[in-house]
Structures are given as structure tokens and as C-alpha cells.
Amino acid sequence: MKYEWRKQEKNLYGAKQTPAIVEVPKQKFILVKGKGNPNEVDFSDRISALYSLAYAIKMLFKNAMKNKIDNEIADFTVYPLEGFWKKVNGEELDKNKLEYTLMIKQPDFITQEIFTKALENIKKKKPNALYDEMSFREIEEGKSIQILHVGSYDEEPKSFEQMDEFARKLDLTRIGDFHKEIYLSNKNRTSEEKQKTILRYSVK
């Protein structure tokens, strides 16, 4: 049996183009922090290294489950790239000063032990200094507002305005100085106007 996040977790990844409240449970992630312009090479290098580790985890789990019985989960689809972005105050957005944490969610059955072993394997097979910056963590976002943004990343403020208005109507307050972005489209294979990104922030 293969675990597929698109089918199993529609409440988190099936966002619509209108704001909605969602309860985000504690989740496991592999992650790496970064600073600077997301159009620079360092950003794409971090994404590439993170995906290499994600697939190393998938293959390690799949190989370990080869001889298991039919009704057990023996494989899973790699989750999409996600990122926490620190809120930038002020009128002008200076992308060179952005702070972010890139992450890829892991299924509940992936453990710290599997992460550590996969990390050892990928370091030997595909050496990269960025692997030393990666970690495995549980994060709970709790009560949140999310929306599906379709289009350019530079047009996200329009979707955030919808979210803020929705929060005001429900007398909810945004908490934290960051928001979550979940990239459902591969930007290298999708035209800018069709890119799909889930935007989310925690509220109380």
C-alpha cells in the first residue's frame, strides 16, 4: 500500500481560493534555514539538497518494507516543498534581507532513526555541505487561516489581504512573525499565472 498525501490529507493540501480555517496538527519535517533572495543560486541549492534527502528517506523506508504484508504501508509519495517566511515590515520588500526555513513534510511513520540513517547514506553517496545544516523536527501550527493563491509569488499580497479581512470578520488575531507557503506547482514546469501556492498563518 502506498501513502499519498493528496488523497489522505485533503484538509491540509486541498485549499480553495477563498480563506478558510484549518486546524494544523503536529507534523514531522526535514528542514533547512536560509537567508537572502530566493532568486539566487543558494536558495535553489538548498531546495535541491532537501529533495535529495527526502528521496533518500523514501527509498530507505521502501527498501525496509519490501517483505511486509499487503495491507501495510510500504511506500509513500514525497510531499511538496514548504517554507516559513519571516514577516517583513515596511513598504519596500528587500528580497536580499528575507529569512526563511525550507521544509518537506514526512509521514508520521518516519522516525528520527530513519532520518539519521538516510542522512548518513546521502552524505556518502552525494556529498554536500548543506546536509550538515539539515534537521528533523516536529512542528505544530495549530489553528490557522489558509488560502490557495494562483499566480505569481509577487501577487501574494492580494491573497493575504483576503486572509486578513477574513480574520477581522471572525475576530481572530494573527500570531507569530512568519507565514507558511506550500508549493503545489513546480515553478520550472508551470507558467507563472498557473502556479499554485497555499498561504497559511496561525491565529488565535
Side-chain angles (χ1 to χ4, degrees):
M1 196 169 98
K2 187 173 185 177
Y3 186 89
E4 300 184 65
W5 56 269
R6 284 186 186 274
K7 294 178 182 177
Q8 309 292 106
E9 300 177 48
K10 288 181 180 177
N11 62 319
L12 296 178
Y13 295 98
K16 309 294 183 189
Q17 286 180 266
T18 51
I21 293 174
V22 61
E23 192 67 38
V24 186
K26 191 177 285 185
Q27 301 174 92
K28 296 177 179 180
F29 292 94
I30 54 171
L31 49 88
V32 63
K33 293 180 183 258
K35 289 182 181 179
N37 193 322
N39 297 312
E40 299 293 336
V41 175
D42 181 67
F43 184 77
S44 54
D45 285 348
R46 288 172 188 277
I47 293 174
S48 179
L50 198 60
Y51 267 112
S52 292
L53 176 56
Y55 278 97
I57 291 170
K58 170 188 165 75
M59 292 313 298
L60 184 66
F61 176 79
K62 189 176 178 179
N63 289 335
M65 299 297 286
K66 268 182 180 174
N67 301 317
K68 297 296 180 181
I69 54 176
D70 290 344
N71 64 343
E72 279 194 280
I73 294 171
D75 191 11
F76 64 93
T77 304
V78 171
Y79 283 79
L81 179 71
E82 307 188 22
F84 276 132
W85 292 86
K86 191 160 184 180
K87 194 174 178 182
V88 179
N89 295 315
E91 293 296 317
E92 287 295 317
L93 173 62
D94 184 349
K95 291 184 178 180
N96 295 313
K97 293 182 179 177
L98 288 172
E99 294 180 29
Y100 56 83
T101 303
L102 296 171
M103 54 185 70
I104 297 176
K105 186 179 168 182
Q106 300 300 300
D108 289 339
F109 47 80
I110 296 300
T111 62
Q112 177 76 44
E113 186 181 4
I114 293 172
F115 163 78
T116 302
K117 181 62 178 172
L119 189 60
E120 288 173 5
N121 290 348
I122 198 71
K123 279 182 176 180
K124 291 173 188 172
K125 188 177 178 182
K126 201 175 180 181
N128 188 327
L130 288 172
Y131 294 132
D132 291 330
E133 297 181 38
M134 294 184 182
S135 58
F136 182 76
R137 277 182 56 200
E138 283 192 333
I139 298 172
E140 186 172 0
E141 293 170 59
K143 188 175 188 177
S144 304
I145 292 174
Q146 70 178 21
I147 192 171
L148 177 66
H149 173 77
V150 180
S152 164
Y153 302 135
D154 291 334
E155 293 177 359
E156 287 180 359
K158 294 177 184 176
S159 292
F160 279 115
E161 283 175 17
Q162 290 184 60
M163 295 166 73
D164 293 344
E165 179 61 27
F166 182 71
R168 281 193 292 272
K169 283 181 179 176
L170 296 178
D171 199 25
L172 295 170
T173 305
R174 180 174 175 170
I175 53 176
D177 62 349
F178 55 84
H179 71 270
K180 168 71 75 71
E181 297 190 5
I182 302 170
Y183 308 101
L184 300 179
S185 308
N186 182 331
K187 78 168 195 170
N188 298 320
R189 298 178 190 165
T190 312
S191 59
E192 204 171 56
E193 69 274 8
K194 292 181 180 178
Q195 286 174 0
K196 293 181 178 180
T197 310
I198 295 174
L199 305 178
R200 181 193 296 156
Y201 58 64
S202 301
V203 293
K204 64 178 179 180

